[in-house]
Amino acid sequence: MSEIKKLTADVDVGEYFEKYVDFEKFSKLCIEEQEELGYNWNYPPFDFDVEELWKSYNKLKIIAFKIDFSKEELDHTFEEKELEFVLKRFERIKGRLMNDVYMLENEDSMGLYMGKCNLCMRCTREFGMPCKMPVKMRYAFEGLGADVDKTIEDLFGYKIIYVHNCKLPEYLIFVGGLLYDKK
């Protein structure tokens, strides 16, 4: 790994909601992903009104971590197990980077997670049990209907790119954030 860059932007929640949030569209994608990869408490369905949640805050701080890879890493074609190991390593990095979000939280804010929650080895939602870590669990941007790809492209000028043909992309971007200035 060559470098990790932190990207941040503060935006108005009302404007963000109008331009980037489509809960119906993205909740369907999250549910499809869960059917394939397992259910998770930070993805829908939820027992609260998502629009009401967004609109209960005035501001949103978007926090993205861009991991650039070295030429050596980019040139390497990974075996499937090797790639799985490398990607799990980035999941652990993602957890450490989420600490930046936790540090910003207070009683008038709420952190947003970078993708699917990975606090537990296996989410208890799969077994119909309550979350074991509700104090640490944070809802995912996409789980709350945000178009993360469009957000990153518009605000930071980067496209979200993925692993393809057992090769790492030029970079990976993890996106989290903080809803703050509660109404």
Side-chain angles (χ1 to χ4, degrees), residues 46-146:
F46 299 123
D47 62 356
F48 58 86
D49 183 309
V50 171
E51 182 173 347
E52 194 174 293
L53 175 85
W54 279 105
K55 293 186 175 181
S56 65
Y57 294 90
N58 290 307
K59 294 288 187 179
L60 170 64
K61 178 181 284 298
I62 298 163
I63 304 168
F65 295 97
K66 180 177 175 270
I67 301 170
D68 293 303
F69 296 105
S70 67
K71 180 171 176 16
E72 180 181 303
E73 290 168 313
L74 294 173
D75 290 343
H76 185 72
T77 300
F78 292 85
E79 297 293 324
E80 195 170 316
K81 288 278 188 199
E82 183 184 25
L83 184 60
E84 193 175 300
F85 175 79
V86 169
L87 294 177
K88 282 186 191 250
R89 187 177 82 188
F90 293 119
E91 282 296 311
R92 286 194 302 271
I93 290 171
K94 181 173 82 169
R96 284 187 297 192
L97 298 176
M98 268 307 293
N99 286 331
D100 282 17
V101 173
Y102 292 140
M103 296 293 289
L104 295 172
E105 287 181 319
N106 62 37
E107 63 276 351
D108 292 322
S109 64
M110 183 177 93
L112 300 177
Y113 201 70
M114 302 173 186
K116 209 167 184 185
C117 179
N118 62 359
L119 292 170
C120 300
M121 292 292 277
R122 200 153 172 204
C123 185
T124 55
R125 192 171 197 173
E126 288 186 48
F127 310 106
M129 297 168 59
C131 178
K132 289 189 328 189
M133 295 191 202
V135 173
K136 284 188 161 186
M137 191 278 296
R138 300 295 180 268
Y139 297 105
F141 254 100
E142 63 274 15
L144 296 176

Side-chain angles (χ1 to χ4, degrees), residues 19-58:
K19 189 170 183 178
Y20 298 101
V21 177
D22 183 343
F23 183 69
E24 189 174 321
K25 175 183 175 181
F26 290 101
S27 67
K28 286 179 186 173
L29 295 173
C30 287
I31 289 170
E32 288 171 12
E33 179 181 320
Q34 289 187 100
E35 288 171 356
E36 185 180 322
L37 302 173
Y39 289 88
N40 201 289
W41 280 112
N42 76 334
Y43 273 17
F46 299 123
D47 62 356
F48 58 86
D49 183 309
V50 171
E51 182 173 347
E52 194 174 293
L53 175 85
W54 279 105
K55 293 186 175 181
S56 65
Y57 294 90
N58 290 307

